[in-house]
Amino acid sequence: MGGNELTSVSVSRFDHIVAPSPESGEGLSPNPARAIAVSFDGVGKTYDTNNGSVHALKGITVDVAQGSIFGIIGRSGAGKSSLLRTVNRLETATEGRVVVNGVDVRSLSDDGLVTFRRKVGMVFQHFNLLSAKTVWGNVALPLIVAGVPKLEIDERVADVLRLVGLEGKQDAYPSRLSGGQKQRVGIARALVNRPEILLCDEATSALDPETTLSILELLKDINRSLGITILLITHEMSVVREICDDVVVLESGQIAEAGKTWEIFSKPAHAATKALLKPLEPGIPRDIADRLASQREHFHQRALVELTYGGNGREGIKLQELARVVGPSVQIVQSVVDRIQGHAYGRMLLTTDADDRVALSRFEGLADNARILGYVRDDV
Ligand SMILES: Nc1ncnc2c1ncn2[C@@H]1O[C@H](COP(=O)(O)OP(=O)(O)OP(=O)(O)O)[C@@H](O)[C@H]1O
Ligand SMILES: [Mg+2]
């Protein structure tokens, strides 16, 4: 039934995708004319339950650029999975449209949906592997279902297993694999149909930090070398910072904010984003926090000042400048400097004995934001 014919169409498209641009690369500033892979246009979702209806998504309008890694974040229950699952119509949007590579997913017939889903792979938090089947059996399954000839299946399974770093493991059963290896099988299975889009719902949440890193590297590789667009849900903000080009923050089913990851992370505007990013903030060192007074009680106390900067083309705070502007008494207590997608951002805590008002106005020229957190004794 047309299955093989469709498969061979997608093979040639895939070959075309693989061949060019390992450089599609930087992920920094996508070509403004870049095509849209997924367009959410006023998407709403209402679940009808025995206890009434749950309005899980409201008026979601945002585009996912082709070839990008797009993060979906938000508190538990914000609607992330609901949104992701409208892309392959595991959930149907009850309002608005979801357009994937130009196709309104609602317009797909049942047969059309089967073919469409081969182009949209999905990776799950708990891997969803069949324990009675080997690695080969799990990865080959979508191709067997699609009626692909055995020889081609062998070839394609071997290819994806090599890609995810599992060559030699094809005869192992899932129970013999580590969590990271299981997720590699899950990713191989999602890739074996040569999809154009990969949906990942908490793909690394069941893994330890080191394995998480290796899976992220793999996803990044897949995105860069195969040009596959990835939509990724995670609770780990360091994951988003690491690999997402763009991010949307959901709050109670609506968009709190959306944009380039470096912009959102360096200047979170919405309370929901600030709360999500809190764990990435260094905070005030405990011993200093314990001694922090809200008012200057006598002149031996120094002001504890927080400077933050991000985006704006600022490359950091020049120490020479700091000493020149504030004077030699300035003391750095803590400093975190990092880069997201090539943009520097950071936060510095320092103490100064300079007069409050003078100090703050001076600092403002050095960073995007300056504020006095309190006062500590001279001996910090
Ligand atoms: N099948 C369903 N039937 C009824 N309500 C649902 C269903 N799926 C999700 N919901 C509700 O819709 C809202 C959004 O759920 P969703 O699973 O999309 O959130 P989430 O952001 O993925 O949360 P988490 O981070 O906990 O996975 C929640 O209030 C949830 O209870
Ligand atoms: Mg979820």
Side-chain angles (χ1 to χ4, degrees):
M1 281 202 327
N4 287 341
E5 191 186 311
L6 288 161
T7 308
S8 67
V9 170
S10 80
V11 169
S12 56
R13 179 176 40 246
F14 184 79
D15 289 343
H16 169 73
I17 291 171
V18 174
S21 81
E23 300 310 323
S24 72
E26 297 295 299
L28 299 181
S29 48
N31 177 348
R34 205 172 201 180
I36 303 300
V38 180
S39 174
F40 298 100
D41 179 10
V43 170
K45 172 73 189 172
T46 304
Y47 294 103
D48 289 318
T49 71
N50 292 337
N51 302 325
S53 48
V54 179
H55 215 161
L57 297 172
K58 292 160 224 160
I60 304 289
T61 297
V62 67
D63 287 339
V64 179
Q66 221 163 57
S68 66
I69 304 186
F70 183 87
I72 303 173
I73 62 175
R75 297 185 239 241
S76 189
K80 304 179 296 294
S81 298
S82 300
L83 184 66
L84 191 78
R85 293 160 72 91
T86 62
V87 176
N88 59 356
R89 232 178 74 184
L90 282 179
E91 296 293 353
T92 311
T94 43
E95 288 153 46
R97 297 192 315 153
V98 180
V99 180
V100 178
N101 286 338
V103 177
D104 181 339
V105 298
R106 200 171 28 193
S107 71
L108 293 165
S109 63
D110 288 351
D111 280 353
L113 188 60
V114 171
T115 312
F116 168 82
R117 282 191 180 148
R118 292 191 191 125
K119 290 190 270 167
V120 184
M122 191 154 185
V123 182
F124 303 89
Q125 176 177 1
H126 295 294
F127 326 126
N128 293 15
L129 303 181
L130 298 172
S131 56
K133 288 196 183 294
T134 61
V135 166
W136 188 94
N138 271 282
V139 177
L141 194 62
L143 299 180
I144 295 170
V145 171
V148 176
K150 170 83 168 67
L151 259 177
E152 190 183 333
I153 294 182
D154 278 337
E155 211 172 283
R156 281 168 61 173
V157 171
D159 274 355
V160 283
L161 288 181
R162 197 174 318 115
L163 182 72
V164 301
L166 284 182
E167 54 271 81
K169 289 278 183 209
Q170 64 271 15
D171 296 327
Y173 284 88
S175 59
R176 292 293 174 91
L177 301 177
S178 68
Q181 288 171 328
K182 283 182 196 157
Q183 194 53 295
R184 284 171 192 270
V185 178
I187 293 171
R189 181 188 50 195
L191 290 179
V192 80
N193 267 322
R194 298 173 171 168
E196 291 162 8
I197 295 173
L198 193 60
L199 309 177
C200 304
D201 195 343
E202 300 281 359
T204 57
S205 305
L207 305 174
D208 62 63
E210 198 180 333
T211 314
T212 292
L213 268 184
S214 75
I215 294 292
L216 290 181
E217 279 306 315
L218 175 62
L219 291 176
K220 213 173 355 184
D221 258 14
I222 289 165
N223 166 255
R224 301 278 147 88
S225 58
L226 304 185
I228 295 177
T229 307
I230 299 181
L231 279 73
L232 179 147
I233 294 177
T234 180
H235 281 110
E236 295 158 282
M237 295 305 112
S238 54
V239 167
V240 179
R241 184 177 59 185
E242 195 61 32
I243 68 168
C244 292
D245 300 305
D246 303 283
V247 66
V248 61
V249 186
L250 296 185
E251 172 78 342
S252 307
Q254 291 177 298
I255 294 184
E257 54 186 318
K260 295 264 139 239
T261 304
W262 68 266
E263 280 173 334
I264 303 279
F265 273 44
S266 56
K267 280 198 200 67
H270 195 279
T273 321
K274 288 180 185 162
L276 289 166
L277 294 179
K278 198 95 188 153
L280 294 184
E281 279 179 15
I284 303 173
R286 191 54 192 256
D287 61 316
I288 295 178
D290 286 348
R291 286 183 288 155
L292 201 61
S294 58
Q295 303 287 330
R296 181 173 252 155
E297 279 144 9
H298 64 84
F299 74 100
H300 281 310
Q301 283 179 319
R302 296 164 63 86
L304 180 69
V305 181
E306 180 193 60
L307 302 183
T308 52
Y309 62 93
N312 289 359
R314 225 186 262 283
E315 272 305 303
I317 296 169
K318 292 196 176 75
L319 293 183
Q320 207 178 8
E321 189 89 336
L322 192 65
R324 189 181 63 74
V325 170
V326 192
S329 82
V330 65
Q331 201 168 20
I332 298 171
V333 175
Q334 188 189 49
S335 179
V336 179
V337 182
D338 208 341
R339 299 179 78 79
I340 309 179
Q341 297 169 313
H343 297 266
Y345 77 103
R347 175 217 195 229
M348 187 183 274
L349 283 188
L350 42 85
T351 63
T352 171
D353 57 10
D355 168 71
D356 295 351
R357 271 168 313 160
V358 176
L360 268 193
S361 61
R362 283 174 178 176
F363 283 125
E364 273 161 9
L366 287 173
D368 293 343
N369 259 304
R371 62 185 179 124
I372 294 179
L373 301 179
Y375 299 89
V376 282
R377 281 193 61 99
D378 225 2
D379 47 4
V380 166

